[in-house]
Amino acid sequence: FHVTDLNGNKLTDESVISYIEQSLETSFPDRSHGFDGSTALELTGTDRVGLLSEVFAVLADLQCNVVDAKVWTHNGRIASLISVKDCNSGSPINDSQQIDRIESRLRNILRGDNDIRSAKTSVSLAITHTERRLHQMMFADRDYGRKPVLQCREDSPVVTVQNWAERGYSVVNVQCKDRAKLLFDVVCTLTDMQYVVFHATINTAEDKAYMEFYVRHTDGTPISSEAERQRVVQCLRAAVERRASDGVRLELCTSDRQGLLANVTRTFRENGLNVTRAEISTTNDIARNVFYVTDAIGNVADPKIIETVREKIGLGELKVKELPLIYHEREEAAVGVGGAVLSLGSLVRKN
């Protein structure tokens, strides 16, 4: 693997390099998001403006303190993993009746008026990497087969699948805008669809990524039908798009307090802003939250409205984050040491 930091610079921090080496040498579950000392809730349903505000308001009303959360939206669907503790005791919520109340209230919110069958809430019992679990939840929800709410973007991923009959492989090509965690998203999806990657070549040029995978089913056979080929194309497009940074990135850093998320997201809703993605974390009673927001129909939010929202929440607490121009709209992906951010340079594995 040839990697750089987010700005395209060579890695020189020995602590970061050591962390990467140790991570690659060790297999361990990700306990950093909701499975250690808190109760993890899984939610899927139909997305709408203000939904997140309603979810956080219900949790606040039920005396649940949100300590960590990730929210993705795609093709009109929403998936979220939310880690909560009891507001009074600071402990995980283990009472079965309380859990039933939480699940029931959230399910009613997610259903709205027209999502009777597909809204789901549950307590997560599996120890799975948070973002991989979000991919699995959206895959199970079949977001890939739903009609996009927004018109196709000019930079939509291009995915092709062909068979190499002589060698018994299927060749999957993905071309899209490069960003952090792109390879993770694609490989996790191939793996969860029961494909094994035997060979791969991944390269980047400027802000574009070019990925080629030679795959087979876990039983050793290539992709066998046109319907399966189309499904692979749809699922990989969805895997790339789920983490796309639609909207203005707003970062909130403030002292954590009960009802904070409900108040912030209510302010978004009251000003016609839709949250397309969110990352919530709490460390030492400090809330560090990231929101990507658009207007109600998915267009770029009016800067005047953004400033109005910032004034209401606090100009010093809610800030618009500008990323380096050469990685415009890329997501920062902290690896856990020194705030390092990695971007894929290239990977070549030869036959």
Side-chain angles (χ1 to χ4, degrees), residues 48 108-116:
R48 64 179 184 272
N108 288 334
I109 292 295
L110 288 164
R111 282 174 178 169
D113 298 324
N114 58 3
D115 195 14
I116 302 302

Side-chain angles (χ1 to χ4, degrees), residues 4 40 45 50 75 171 175 190 198 204 229 240 272 343:
T4 67
N75 284 355
V171 184
Q175 297 183 25
L190 286 171
F198 285 85
T204 60
R229 189 187 71 82
V240 173
S343 171

Side-chain angles (χ1 to χ4, degrees), residues 221-233:
T221 60
I223 293 171
S224 58
S225 68
E226 177 61 21
E228 183 185 1
R229 189 187 71 82
Q230 287 293 337
R231 186 166 179 262
V232 171
V233 170

Side-chain angles (χ1 to χ4, degrees), residues 47 74-77 146-152 296-298:
D47 188 30
H74 181 244
N75 284 355
R77 306 297 295 171
R146 298 177 186 269
K147 185 177 180 180
V149 176
L150 306 178
Q151 294 184 353
C152 292
I297 59 175

